[in-house]
Amino acid sequence: MLLLSLSLSHYSSNAADFCVADLEIGFQTPSGFPCKNPSFVTASDFKYSGLVTGGNTTNINKVSIIRAFVQQFPGLNGLGMGAGRLDIEPGGAISAHTHWYASEMIYVVEGTVTAGFVSGVATNTVYLNKLSKGEIMIFPQGLVHFQVNTGTETAVVLATYGSEDPGTQIISPALFGNNLPSLLVEKATNIDEAEVKKLKVLLGGSG
Ligand SMILES: *[C@@H]1O[C@H](CO)[C@@H](O)[C@H](O)[C@H]1NC(C)=O
């Protein structure tokens, strides 16, 4: 009986050690993806090389965003953490956005970044910092935040998140990058219709 319970507890502690996502066999649920069969898991499931180089920054924001979330890095499944690499050209910006499932921490690998977040509606207080190479800043879960390259060289930023799938909504495209009628966008934002139409063209929206 003692042996049996020892072997059972040994088994269950192994079973709980990790759950590398099998992205093929099922849907993501609030508790994550189903697990890959542990006997097929290898060291390479816990390594991800996607952040080694930056992506293409030829776009209106002059940025590339490379994610290491559970969809890209299945080993993160259930671990409550994720990462990303941001490359931002001078004058470029990761525009205002939120992550509703996660707080974020950034580490400036190269360059100079001015970053901030805005508190809730009670005060709309802005918390702004100019970050140099090696500095970190945190962004509390759910709050609108942004990062701007205010230096003269390409900024490289490592972002980490308290979720393997932080949930992201980028404010400008959410408001102007779709077919919500311009007049309704004006009502919803207090931005006049002519400006709304201009922003829709810029962000690929219509209406
Ligand atoms: C980067 O993206 C731009 C715009 O989509 C494209 O024209 C250009 O060829 C891309 N550059 C590289 C190196 O892929």
Side-chain angles (χ1 to χ4, degrees):
M1 195 61 211
L2 179 64
L3 270 179
L4 181 64
S5 71
L6 277 176
S7 70
L8 281 176
S9 70
H10 179 70
Y11 175 77
S12 67
S13 106
N14 269 352
D17 282 350
F18 51 75
C19 171
V20 174
D22 188 328
L23 302 178
E24 307 293 318
I25 62 166
F27 297 105
Q28 190 174 22
T29 70
S31 48
F33 285 96
C35 309
K36 182 173 171 176
N37 181 340
S39 55
F40 298 136
V41 169
T42 67
S44 66
D45 285 299
F46 301 103
K47 169 184 167 171
Y48 182 65
S49 305
L51 307 187
V52 171
T53 52
N56 189 332
T57 56
T58 306
N59 49 60
I60 69 165
N61 291 318
K62 302 188 198 169
V63 297
S64 97
I65 301 168
I66 303 180
R67 295 174 176 84
F69 297 170
V70 67
Q71 290 84 359
Q72 295 80 32
F73 185 9
L76 290 170
N77 194 41
L79 299 184
M81 58 186 189
R85 173 181 171 142
L86 317 174
D87 289 69
I88 316 172
E89 301 298 343
I94 307 293
S95 64
H97 63 283
T98 71
H99 303 291
W100 56 88
Y101 291 136
S103 296
E104 174 177 341
M105 183 184 312
I106 61 168
Y107 171 80
V108 178
V109 180
E110 294 290 345
T112 304
V113 170
T114 298
F117 66 86
V118 185
S119 73
V121 288
T123 59
N124 289 307
T125 304
V126 178
Y127 297 87
L128 195 64
N129 283 302
K130 187 169 182 178
L131 308 171
S132 301
K133 178 174 175 160
E135 292 188 304
I136 66 176
M137 180 172 174
I138 51 175
F139 306 89
Q141 182 169 346
L143 298 184
V144 173
H145 62 284
F146 56 88
Q147 293 101 6
V148 182
N149 183 345
T150 50
T152 55
E153 57 174 316
T154 303
V156 179
V157 174
L158 173 68
T160 60
Y161 307 87
S163 166
E164 65 268 30
D165 190 5
T168 300
Q169 192 160 42
I170 308 173
I171 310 296
S172 294
L175 292 171
F176 309 109
N178 53 39
N179 62 0
L180 184 60
S182 295
L183 189 59
L184 288 178
V185 180
E186 175 184 297
K187 299 295 177 200
T189 61
N190 300 316
I191 296 171
D192 72 72
E193 195 181 357
E195 183 65 20
V196 168
K197 285 186 184 296
K198 214 170 97 184
L199 290 166
K200 277 181 171 289
V201 169
L202 188 67
L203 294 164
S206 61

